[in-house]
Amino acid sequence: MAGVGGDESAVERSSRTRERQGSVNGFASDRNDLIRTPVPQELPIKSQGLCGCSSAVAMAISFTDLHTETGLKTLEEFLSGKNYVSGDQISKDDVKVFSAVAKPGEGFPNVSRWYASVSGVLAPRFPGEAYGVKIGSQAAVSAAVPSAEVSKEAADADDDDLDLFGDETEEDKKAAEEREAAVKASSKKKESGKSSVLLDVKPWDDETDMKKLEEAVRSVEMPGLLWGASKLVAVGYGIKKLQIMMTIVDDLVSVDNLIEDYLTEEPRNEYIQSCDIVAFNKI
């Protein structure tokens, strides 16, 4: 029994030795696997919306009033150090902004550079001749170019027909008069609308000389202003106010400026305490 026990002890020792070697080999194998395993690369992070969907990090760019100087200043600052609106290559964003911008002047170097670059890309793709279009209330900028060229050609044609050394005939005089009339008609501005305004002009107290008050009111003269009929209206406690009509050209006279800058300022404020608009009607 002792021999058997001795044999069993030897077997057990041999088994434990193999287990230890296997553990060491397994550890080495795992260690080698760890060494050979490539380090995972960092993936780009995408923002998650409330719905759990990934969305682009970039925000939409917004411009307004690009047909005005204020809008062009905003675009000028935005394009500083940039080739295009949304990156280093032309995109649909550039085309969209390009369609809303008139050709910039010398005061906007960044916009001018960008405009020329986009125009250079777009022009070869549209080889057809442009005659100009009108969208809404704004005429396309390109429409001004053909009209200017036509005017220049007409002027050149008139110069070619002019004989500096010949006698001027009646037909020449008539043609010259017609051309002059056409120029005046084209350059004449459309007449602005007019309005009829009724003002209440109030004195400081019952001792204010109302005659001098009215003279002070009518002493205001400016283009587009015509004073009309007036009358004194009792207010109470012996105080009267002046009601006076006036006709104004809307584009030339602002009633608010007339009151604030003329009627209630020195020296007229010696007699005039305040003014109110009673009625304002378009003519």
Side-chain angles (χ1 to χ4, degrees), residues 6 8 41 43 49 62 76 90 104 111 130-131 139 149 153 163 173 175 177 185 198 277 283:
E8 288 178 350
Q41 297 180 353
L43 298 176
S62 178
E76 174 71 13
I90 189 172
V111 179
Y131 293 96
E149 294 176 353
E153 291 175 359
D163 185 3
K173 291 181 180 180
E177 291 174 356
L198 178 62
I277 301 174
I283 300 177

Side-chain angles (χ1 to χ4, degrees), residues 132-230:
V133 295
K134 183 178 290 186
I135 302 174
S137 60
Q138 295 181 346
V141 177
S142 58
V145 177
S147 62
E149 294 176 353
V150 171
S151 300
K152 184 177 180 181
E153 291 175 359
D156 293 341
D158 291 340
D159 292 341
D160 294 338
D161 295 338
L162 180 62
D163 185 3
L164 297 177
F165 301 98
D167 295 332
E168 186 177 18
T169 64
E170 291 297 329
E171 293 181 356
D172 295 335
K173 291 181 180 180
K174 186 177 180 181
E177 291 174 356
E178 290 178 352
R179 285 196 298 269
E180 185 177 355
V183 171
K184 289 182 178 180
S186 62
S187 61
K188 184 179 179 181
K189 293 182 179 179
K190 185 179 179 181
E191 185 178 359
S192 176
K194 295 181 179 181
S195 299
S196 175
V197 184
L198 178 62
L199 279 183
D200 266 358
V201 185
K202 299 175 183 178
W204 287 102
D205 50 37
D206 58 342
E207 295 181 358
T208 302
D209 189 332
M210 298 303 293
K211 184 176 180 180
K212 291 184 177 180
L213 181 145
E214 183 174 354
E215 290 176 355
V217 172
R218 292 184 181 273
S219 67
V220 179
E221 296 180 354
M222 62 178 63
L225 171 63
L226 178 64
W227 295 108
S230 64

Side-chain angles (χ1 to χ4, degrees), residues 6 14-15 24 29 50 53 56 62 71 88 98 100 110 116 118 135 138 166 180 213 233 244 262 264 269 281:
S14 177
S15 176
V24 172
S29 177
L50 294 177
C53 303
S62 178
D88 294 331
F98 182 87
N110 293 328
V118 176
I135 302 174
Q138 295 181 346
E180 185 177 355
L213 181 145
V233 178
I244 185 168
Y262 293 91
T264 56
N269 61 357
N281 300 309

Side-chain angles (χ1 to χ4, degrees), residues 3 18 21 27 32 39 63 77 79 103 118 122 135 137 140 179 183 194 209 273-274 279:
R18 285 196 298 271
Q21 290 176 351
F27 174 79
N32 292 333
V39 178
F63 297 103
E77 295 175 358
L79 289 174
K103 188 173 182 179
V118 176
L122 295 180
I135 302 174
S137 60
R179 285 196 298 269
V183 171
K194 295 181 179 181
D209 189 332
Q273 180 196 28
S274 62

